[in-house]
């Protein structure tokens, strides 16, 4: 599995802390930022989203201070379903099982590395349930950009 990860300065420490656990789930591509110097989170969201969209079966992880900015930015990309999961795995489970999320967003200033690692573990070990959820996800893909307005 290919995993693309990106962060801003507020997510840098957590990104570094996740390195080893992430590597146990697949090949990790670190798309930056690579220091605590101030950057703009949409730039790194874009990098990760474009990589996920261009790589079949891949997933992304985006980390900023709260995870909010990264999730807002990522969900502007058609085909990206970015889920903000700042708890210890509950949201990550349903993000995959019900929403078929392909990007996990985390708040570097909100979650400890242990809590984030649990979300990562759950995210990568939970499958999309399909069934009634498949039609709902299709509605997101078509309605979110006004095509069915
Ligand atoms: C950076 O200070 C902060 O605004 C950013 O990391 C993020 O939390 C935005 O949503």
């Amino acid at each position: 599995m290919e995993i693309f990860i990106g962060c801003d300065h507020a997510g840098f420490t957590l990104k570094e802390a996740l390195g080893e656990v992430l590597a146990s789930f697949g090949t990790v591509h670190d798309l930056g930022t690579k220091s605590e110097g101030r950057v703009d989170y949409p730039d790194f969201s874009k990098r990760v989203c474009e990589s996920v969209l261009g790589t079949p079966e891949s997933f992304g992880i985006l980390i900023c201070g709260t995870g909010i900015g990264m999730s807002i930015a990522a969900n502007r990309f058609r085909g990206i379903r970015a889920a903000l999961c700042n708890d210890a795995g509950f949201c990550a489970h349903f993000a995959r099982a019900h929403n078929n999320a392909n990007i996990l967003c985390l708040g570097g200033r909100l979650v400890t590395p242990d809590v984030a690692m649990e979300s990562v573990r759950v995210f990568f070990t939970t499958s999309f349930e399909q069934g009634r959820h498949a039609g709902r996800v299709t509605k997101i893909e078509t309605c979110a950009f006004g095509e069915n307005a």
Side-chain angles (χ1 to χ4, degrees):
M1 185 201 323
E2 305 296 315
I3 301 168
F4 299 95
I5 187 166
C7 68
D8 72 354
H9 50 288
F12 174 73
T13 302
L14 181 58
K15 173 172 72 73
E16 297 299 296
L18 292 180
E20 260 181 52
V21 74
L22 277 183
S24 70
F25 290 105
T27 305
V28 182
H29 305 272
D30 184 348
L31 305 185
T33 187
K34 307 239 169 137
S35 78
E36 289 182 327
R38 193 172 295 164
V39 293
D40 295 334
Y41 59 82
D43 298 335
F44 295 89
S45 174
K46 183 171 192 280
R47 287 184 192 181
V48 168
C49 289
E50 289 178 345
S51 296
V52 168
L53 291 171
T55 310
E57 318 269 312
S58 66
F59 289 97
I61 296 190
L62 286 168
I63 312 170
C64 62
T66 58
I68 295 170
M70 283 295 198
S71 57
I72 291 171
N75 281 312
R76 298 300 297 262
F77 288 77
R78 181 194 302 275
I80 292 297
R81 293 171 301 281
L84 176 54
C85 300
N86 280 333
D87 62 3
F90 184 90
C91 287
H93 173 80
F94 287 101
R96 288 290 307 124
H98 287 191
N99 310 119
N100 200 16
N102 50 11
I103 293 191
L104 172 67
C105 297
L106 298 165
R109 290 174 173 156
L110 289 173
V111 292
T112 63
D114 282 350
V115 166
M117 279 174 208
E118 183 58 8
S119 281
V120 166
R121 186 192 68 72
V122 170
F123 194 78
F124 288 132
T125 56
T126 304
S127 299
F128 182 42
E129 285 178 9
Q130 301 282 350
R132 68 187 187 280
H133 303 294
R136 294 168 182 167
V137 171
T138 300
K139 286 187 178 184
I140 293 172
E141 297 300 328
T142 54
C143 292
F145 298 92
E147 289 150 1
N148 288 353

